Amino acid sequence: MRREVDRSLSIDLWLRRDGAFEADAALRLTLAEAETLHAQLCYALDDDTAALINPVSARPDCRTGVLTTRRQI
């Protein structure tokens, strides 16, 4: 990740298809977009198996309260 001159953030992505390199791209986000992406990834990556992989004490701050607030569908 790098900060651009206009204060946006760029994340370099390496895209693969069927395990082979396909292309690379830079994802440019405003600070608000980056914050939203961060929150959405924390939510999306948290499921019932998260507790098996990382104990609550080892999770980043953004994921510590997610399991208790997740709605059952």
Side-chain angles (χ1 to χ4, degrees), residues 5 13 32 35 44 51 57-58 63:
V5 177
L13 302 174
E35 185 174 343
S57 61
R63 292 183 61 196

Side-chain angles (χ1 to χ4, degrees), residues 4 7 13-14 17 20-21 25 31-32 40 42-43 52 68:
E4 299 294 336
R7 294 185 41 90
L13 302 174
W14 294 274
R17 182 181 295 173
F21 175 79
L31 294 178
Q40 290 172 340
C42 281
Y43 184 78
L52 301 173
T68 59

Side-chain angles (χ1 to χ4, degrees), residues 37-71:
L37 177 61
H38 177 258
Q40 290 172 340
L41 286 172
C42 281
Y43 184 78
L45 294 173
D46 198 15
D47 61 13
D48 294 336
T49 61
L52 301 173
I53 298 167
N54 292 318
V56 174
S57 61
R59 290 184 203 153
D61 290 340
C62 68
R63 292 183 61 196
T64 53
V66 177
L67 274 177
T68 59
T69 59
R70 189 170 199 145
R71 289 185 289 162

